[in-house]
Amino acid sequence: MFAWLEKNPFFFAVGVFIVIAYAGVIEILPDFANRARPLEGVKPYSVLQLAGKNIYMQDGCNTCHSQMIRPFKSETDRYGMYSLSGEYAYDRPHLWGSKRTGPDLKRVGNYRTTDWHENHMKEPTSVVPGSIMPTYGHMFKKNADIDTAYAEALTVKKVFGVPYDTQDMPTLGTFEQASASVKEEAGAIVEQMKDEEVKKAYENGEIRQIVALIAYLNSLK
């Protein structure tokens, strides 16, 4: 049988294809489907975090920073545990990225603080000497778009079945209820910040973009 296949390259190629395809169906696909499910403990973003993610994309942070740690020692030593597909189950869109002008940020919430992010976004070289990252002072003056973030959360809940309002998951409820949750989450961040204008804006019922962005970055763990 094998001698005959060796003399007939076409059928040999077909045989190899069938064997590989069978292995894929039996071994790869079931595991792939399992890995695509949300990992235990992974939660969808809160409304404030979603607002921060939108600012992150709007300002092009994902063009210089990746969010995918590869399973190489050089990367895990620097950034932490390598990324697993189930961690991205609620990302729409995912922000894996394809370039690292700056470091990977997938686990930045594990080793950077609110205070660090505040200083870094206001003046990058104050915490990273020689940094080429531009300043983002406008984030301290502009308000976060909470309305759009709430609409997005409501959409992915209804269309994609993202499990908001379930046990141990972020609560949406009505817009008024979501706004109250956003204010509470933002308040905890503002309390750790030093910028007086951001604090004053919060007291006046406004949430600056920097607060939402920090909420998002702190969630990346």
Side-chain angles (χ1 to χ4, degrees):
M1 176 66 177
F2 293 110
W4 181 84
L5 283 174
E6 289 177 357
K7 294 176 182 178
N8 294 273
F10 173 77
F11 293 105
F12 183 81
V14 170
V16 169
F17 173 78
I18 291 173
V19 170
I20 293 175
Y22 177 78
V25 170
I26 300 300
E27 293 291 336
I28 299 174
L29 290 183
D31 189 55
F32 180 82
N34 183 57
R35 288 174 183 271
R37 296 190 182 96
L39 295 180
E40 185 176 351
V42 172
K43 298 179 181 180
Y45 298 110
S46 68
V47 173
L48 183 63
Q49 291 164 4
L50 269 179
K53 183 180 181 183
N54 290 337
I55 294 164
Y56 182 93
M57 292 187 290
Q58 173 185 304
D59 279 60
C61 302
N62 55 305
T63 62
C64 289
H65 294 279
S66 61
Q67 288 188 29
M68 184 176 66
I69 305 170
R70 296 171 296 181
F72 305 138
K73 190 175 187 300
S74 59
E75 297 208 7
T76 56
D77 282 351
R78 182 178 182 185
Y79 302 122
M81 170 68 179
Y82 58 82
S83 303
L84 301 170
S85 58
E87 295 180 272
Y88 303 95
Y90 302 128
D91 274 17
R92 292 178 175 83
H94 65 71
L95 299 176
W96 294 341
S98 59
K99 187 181 180 188
R100 283 186 187 160
T101 302
D104 188 276
L105 299 181
K106 180 57 184 171
R107 312 228 182 273
V108 69
N110 289 329
Y111 54 86
R112 298 300 187 200
T113 63
T114 292
D115 179 65
W116 191 93
H117 287 307
E118 178 183 8
N119 293 324
H120 188 231
M121 299 306 292
K122 186 176 289 184
E123 182 49 65
T125 55
S126 67
V127 290
V128 183
S131 173
I132 62 171
M133 191 176 97
T135 60
Y136 288 88
H138 63 276
M139 291 186 182
F140 293 77
K141 300 173 183 177
K142 293 183 178 180
N143 289 338
D145 187 353
I146 303 301
D147 293 26
T148 298
Y150 175 75
E152 181 180 349
L154 208 59
T155 299
V156 296
K157 176 186 176 182
K158 291 181 177 180
V159 177
F160 297 106
V162 175
Y164 286 105
D165 300 319
T166 56
Q167 188 176 7
D168 299 325
M169 293 291 178
T171 300
L172 289 182
T174 64
F175 180 72
E176 289 72 23
Q177 291 171 321
S179 297
S181 296
V182 166
K183 186 175 182 181
E184 181 181 354
E185 185 179 355
I189 293 172
V190 171
E191 190 176 347
Q192 299 174 50
M193 296 179 69
K194 295 184 176 67
D195 191 282
E196 291 300 325
E197 292 301 316
V198 171
K199 290 178 178 289
K200 199 172 295 183
Y202 177 76
E203 291 171 1
N204 293 330
E206 299 177 341
I207 297 173
R208 295 295 196 235
Q209 288 185 347
I210 185 64
V211 178
L213 179 69
I214 290 174
Y216 171 64
L217 293 174
N218 285 346
S219 75
L220 299 177
K221 297 182 178 180

